[in-house]
Amino acid sequence: MAKRVRTTRTGISDVAARAGVSLATVSRVMNGNQTVDAQIAERVRIAASELKYQPNPTGRNLARGKTDTIGVVVPDLGNPTFQGVLRGVSRAAAQDGYRVLIADSSEVSSEEAILAGEARRRCDGVVLCAPRMGAAELEELAPSLHPLVLVNRATNATGSPSVIVDYGRGIQDLAAHLVGLGHTRLAYVAGPASSSSHRLRLAGLDAFKASHSGIEVQVFSNGSTFEDGHSSAGDVLASGATGIMAFNDLTAMGLLSALNERGIRVPEDLSVTGFDDIPFARYTTPPLTTATVPIQDVGEQAWAQMKELLNRAPNAAAEAGEPASTTFTPTLTVRGSTAPPPGKG
Amino acid sequence: MAKRVRTTRTGISDVAARAGVSLATVSRVMNGNQTVDAQIAERVRIAASELKYQPNPTGRNLARGKTDTIGVVVPDLGNPTFQGVLRGVSRAAAQDGYRVLIADSSEVSSEEAILAGEARRRCDGVVLCAPRMGAAELEELAPSLHPLVLVNRATNATGSPSVIVDYGRGIQDLAAHLVGLGHTRLAYVAGPASSSSHRLRLAGLDAFKASHSGIEVQVFSNGSTFEDGHSSAGDVLASGATGIMAFNDLTAMGLLSALNERGIRVPEDLSVTGFDDIPFARYTTPPLTTATVPIQDVGEQAWAQMKELLNRAPNAAAEAGEPASTTFTPTLTVRGSTAPPPGKG
DNA sequence: ACGGATTGAGAAAACGCTTTCTCAATCATT
DNA sequence: AATGATTGAGAAAGCGTTTTCTCAATCCGT
């Protein structure tokens, strides 16, 4: 048999041989370890660049016990919200030399835990977006995922910070805006019952009702897609409400579209609000009044928390106390889809 | 010093010990190697599940020389086109047990080569979306990235398949549609000069002009964003053209918005087309006539090609001949933003 | 019942690095 | 000049798997 034809890329030992030093020294130089004589270091650097040597990350990963990679698990890469989170995390992490592995559960909620575990094993930590996962399951899963940062979820499990959006506050601002315009009959076209951010909106509306006795707030169950919004038009019109808060921008757009088909004018006949302020919300007709969520900042903040966790000594969790969670409060963005109700202009 | 407190997770040797077999046997069982006695295999499986053993991917990666991960490099995660590609690749790859590492060059074109190389070292292959990269640079880079699949780019470098969209064909279909409606004065609101897909559109338009002598086709240089489209309104109106083809849906939406502000009616006064058919194209006012690009299929196909490359023996490249590239042809999607020109209705 | 095939499992050698351990050589100190 | 402290680089031990080697124990045919 031939002499084992060189199949593998140029490795650290090639550099060592060429520079006439040991592997250890090459490693030291490549890692900026200062305990190497300047002359030798230079020789190594030259050898490395002549050979175009680039350390093999896998070998490194194994030796160092880390991968400089974090996993981001999302329910749907097609959803603007998660796209924003992903983008924010990815860019922020890149600044610190980390990469992102994505895991798209394709809305198959039963896969989420598995995907997340998988991702965790391959990465140094995971950012989890799992709006539909049950609280119990999340709580059980969290410890095994540590370092873990939750997006729009909280858990009692210790040591896992969250970055969350105050949906309850946002929807109250929206409701207040409508009431301020003169609306007294409001309706909320709800999101999926299993969605935790939907439940936060509901709680916000309860709080709102408690402090605004004259105001009616109906709730229609529904979903989170354009089509869901579209198909809710019938219920909405039958309700007699004049101020409609859709679960999010997408459903608001669906509703807008259905209303348009039926000849209902927005905002003259009906006011409609969205939620999130996705990039296209400003381009609808009329432009959508919505609660703006700085979603990319959410992603960036998620990375900031992750970084914090990563920099902690592995066993420092307890001594350092609970990691700080962050809350973003949506800001009201008034555009053309809201106006005083008919007759109150 | 204490006895080296167990810091590491449960590993293959724990399982081996518990099952009373060697590491090799555990490995064989975990990998479905059939040369293990059924009884022993069962014992190992039980031990593994009792210990909740999960193989460490990094160790595995090193031993097997592969990572079951591919890199996807895109210029901007905020761009619907690349989001679509990413989603397609990610889902298709997941089907085959592969994960995706993302690299977002943030439009910094000088970073692309570096990011791609980085990604390649960490992964088994890379899918490259680099519409602005110079042909020469691409050609030089390609071999070092192999296995490499190009999206919307081709290269002479051997062994790297592409999946491309026939933008030239698509814009001709759009032009033909406008001409069919009676327009004789067309304008193309161009994309970035450095964009290769923009050049393909230009070539398509040249072909179109060659075969339609009576038709005027003006070209305005511009960009690829909503704002670029918005700011092109002045030129467009001054041109006297009645059928406007925007570089893509985003610029079309910008143009639509600017026209709306100026009281120009679409499609009554002016017809406007987009390109790509991004998810929101159907929700503009009026809904956008556009060339539909099955962008997620592009991503899936990119994975299919990658899989093909991965399954080839490392040195089989030559014998297997050139890998097949794929072309997707956009389909014309007529919506409300196009109509006969004024006076020809 | 005996040699030659097969099976099946353990020992050990990769995989490509990092890092601890060691120890020779240099330096500073009295 | 003798001793202890410091510097700097090589040897070697991991890191957690997979896979090749090896070899003992079965199996088969005659």
Side-chain angles (χ1 to χ4, degrees):
Chain A
M1 188 181 290
K3 213 187 174 188
R4 158 84 117 123
V5 65
R6 152 168 231 54
T7 173
T8 164
R9 326 174 25 92
T10 117
I12 199 172
S13 58
D14 299 303
V15 179
R18 176 174 258 256
V21 299
S22 72
L23 306 194
T25 299
V26 175
S27 174
R28 286 191 267 255
V29 173
M30 298 305 289
N31 292 297
N33 189 321
Q34 290 300 332
T35 75
V36 176
D37 181 90
Q39 299 243 344
I40 297 188
E42 188 54 17
R43 224 163 69 214
V44 169
R45 265 189 289 272
I46 289 175
S49 83
E50 283 174 344
L51 295 170
K52 295 197 200 315
Y53 168 69
Q54 309 266 179
N56 172 319
T58 304
R60 250 166 165 247
N61 291 345
L62 186 57
R64 311 204 307 188
K66 58 185 299 236
T67 62
D68 295 345
T69 302
I70 64 164
V72 173
V73 0
V74 298
D76 179 12
L77 268 180
N79 183 317
T81 294
F82 304 123
Q83 289 167 348
V85 173
L86 176 62
R87 189 173 186 227
V89 173
S90 164
R91 296 203 166 181
Q95 291 288 321
D96 292 313
Y98 275 72
R99 285 116 216 120
V100 167
L101 191 78
I102 75 178
D104 176 352
S105 70
S106 302
E107 300 273 10
V108 187
S109 163
S110 57
E111 286 288 294
E112 280 171 344
I114 295 162
L115 278 175
E118 251 268 341
R120 177 60 186 83
R121 249 168 283 127
R122 296 191 120 73
C123 303
D124 299 343
V126 359
V127 171
L128 180 63
C129 305
R132 312 285 171 77
M133 184 180 287
E137 186 182 5
L138 178 59
E139 189 122 348
E140 184 188 330
L141 185 62
S144 76
L145 258 28
H146 189 272
L148 168 69
V149 173
L150 261 15
V151 171
N152 275 337
R153 292 299 297 262
T155 173
N156 294 327
T158 186
S160 296
S162 333
V163 12
I164 67 181
V165 172
D166 190 345
Y167 290 100
R169 182 72 255 150
I171 202 139
Q172 287 183 68
D173 291 348
L174 252 10
H177 164 65
L178 290 170
V179 168
L181 288 169
H183 295 268
T184 55
R185 305 191 62 186
L186 308 183
Y188 168 48
V189 178
S194 59
S195 152
S196 71
S197 81
H198 158 63
R199 289 192 296 269
L200 291 172
R201 287 171 177 81
L202 276 185
L205 287 176
D206 284 344
F208 185 82
K209 280 191 282 193
S211 57
H212 294 73
S213 53
I215 306 298
E216 168 192 310
V217 183
Q218 299 182 58
V219 176
F220 300 111
S221 66
N222 204 43
S224 60
T225 67
F226 182 90
E227 283 67 30
D228 291 327
H230 193 276
S231 64
S232 72
D235 286 348
V236 164
L237 289 173
S239 73
T242 60
I244 318 298
M245 295 170 283
F247 173 61
N248 62 21
D249 293 339
L250 220 48
T251 55
M253 290 168 69
L255 178 56
L256 243 31
S257 149
L259 292 174
N260 184 55
E261 289 164 11
R262 297 176 186 227
I264 311 290
R265 294 168 308 160
V266 175
E268 293 81 358
D269 300 330
L270 222 54
S271 284
V272 173
T273 65
F275 208 117
D276 287 344
D277 197 14
I278 61 177
F280 286 89
R282 66 178 66 221
Y283 307 139
T284 58
T285 309
L288 212 48
T289 291
T290 192
T292 298
V293 175
I295 195 63
Q296 207 169 318
D297 295 350
V298 168
E300 287 171 15
Q301 183 61 32
W303 166 249
Q305 317 248 61
M306 178 58 72
K307 188 177 168 184
E308 171 81 9
L309 252 32
L310 257 17
N311 287 338
R312 247 126 108 142
N315 52 358
E319 80 193 41
E322 279 305 284
S325 291
T326 316
T327 299
F328 285 88
T329 304
T331 57
L332 180 66
T333 297
V334 178
R335 300 206 180 94
S337 67
T338 51
K344 290 224 187 163
Chain B
M1 188 182 290
K3 212 188 174 188
R4 158 84 116 123
V5 66
R6 153 170 231 54
T7 171
T8 166
R9 326 173 27 93
T10 118
I12 201 172
S13 59
D14 299 303
V15 178
R18 177 175 257 255
V21 299
S22 71
L23 307 194
T25 299
V26 175
S27 173
R28 286 191 267 255
V29 172
M30 297 306 288
N31 292 296
N33 188 321
Q34 289 302 332
T35 74
V36 176
D37 182 90
Q39 298 242 344
I40 297 188
E42 188 55 17
R43 223 163 69 214
V44 169
R45 265 188 289 271
I46 290 174
S49 83
E50 283 173 345
L51 295 170
K52 295 197 203 313
Y53 167 70
Q54 309 263 181
N56 172 317
T58 304
R60 236 157 180 256
N61 290 345
L62 185 57
R64 309 204 306 187
K66 56 185 300 233
T67 62
D68 294 345
T69 302
I70 63 164
V72 174
V73 1
V74 297
D76 179 12
L77 268 180
N79 183 317
T81 294
F82 304 124
Q83 290 168 347
V85 173
L86 177 62
R87 189 172 185 226
V89 173
S90 165
R91 295 203 165 180
Q95 292 288 322
D96 293 313
Y98 275 72
R99 286 117 216 117
V100 167
L101 190 79
I102 75 179
D104 176 352
S105 70
S106 303
E107 300 273 11
V108 187
S109 161
S110 57
E111 285 288 294
E112 280 172 344
I114 294 161
L115 279 175
E118 251 268 342
R120 176 60 186 83
R121 248 168 284 128
R122 296 189 119 74
C123 303
D124 300 342
V126 0
V127 171
L128 179 63
C129 303
R132 312 285 171 80
M133 184 180 287
E137 187 182 5
L138 178 60
E139 188 121 349
E140 184 187 332
L141 186 62
S144 76
L145 258 29
H146 189 272
L148 167 69
V149 173
L150 259 16
V151 171
N152 275 336
R153 289 301 296 262
T155 174
N156 294 326
T158 186
S160 297
S162 333
V163 11
I164 67 181
V165 172
D166 189 346
Y167 290 100
R169 181 74 256 149
I171 202 138
Q172 288 183 67
D173 291 349
L174 251 12
H177 164 66
L178 289 171
V179 169
L181 287 170
H183 296 268
T184 55
R185 304 190 62 185
L186 308 183
Y188 168 49
V189 179
S194 59
S195 152
S196 72
S197 82
H198 157 64
R199 289 192 296 268
L200 291 173
R201 289 172 175 81
L202 276 186
L205 287 176
D206 284 343
F208 186 82
K209 280 190 282 192
S211 56
H212 294 73
S213 52
I215 307 298
E216 168 193 309
V217 182
Q218 300 182 60
V219 176
F220 299 112
S221 66
N222 202 46
S224 60
T225 68
F226 182 90
E227 283 67 29
D228 291 326
H230 193 275
S231 65
S232 72
D235 287 346
V236 164
L237 288 173
S239 75
T242 59
I244 318 298
M245 295 169 282
F247 173 61
N248 63 21
D249 292 340
L250 221 47
T251 54
M253 290 168 68
L255 178 56
L256 242 32
S257 151
L259 293 174
N260 183 56
E261 289 164 10
R262 297 176 184 226
I264 312 291
R265 294 167 307 160
V266 175
E268 293 81 358
D269 301 330
L270 222 54
S271 285
V272 173
T273 65
F275 208 116
D276 287 344
D277 198 15
I278 62 177
F280 284 90
R282 66 178 67 222
Y283 306 139
T284 58
T285 309
L288 212 49
T289 291
T290 192
T292 299
V293 174
I295 196 62
Q296 209 169 316
D297 295 349
V298 168
E300 288 171 14
Q301 182 61 32
W303 166 249
Q305 317 249 60
M306 179 57 74
K307 187 176 168 185
E308 171 80 10
L309 251 33
L310 258 16
N311 287 337
R312 245 125 108 143
N315 52 359
E319 79 193 42
E322 278 304 285
S325 292
T326 315
T327 299
F328 284 88
T329 304
T331 57
L332 180 66
T333 298
V334 178
R335 299 206 180 94
S337 67
T338 51
K344 291 225 188 162

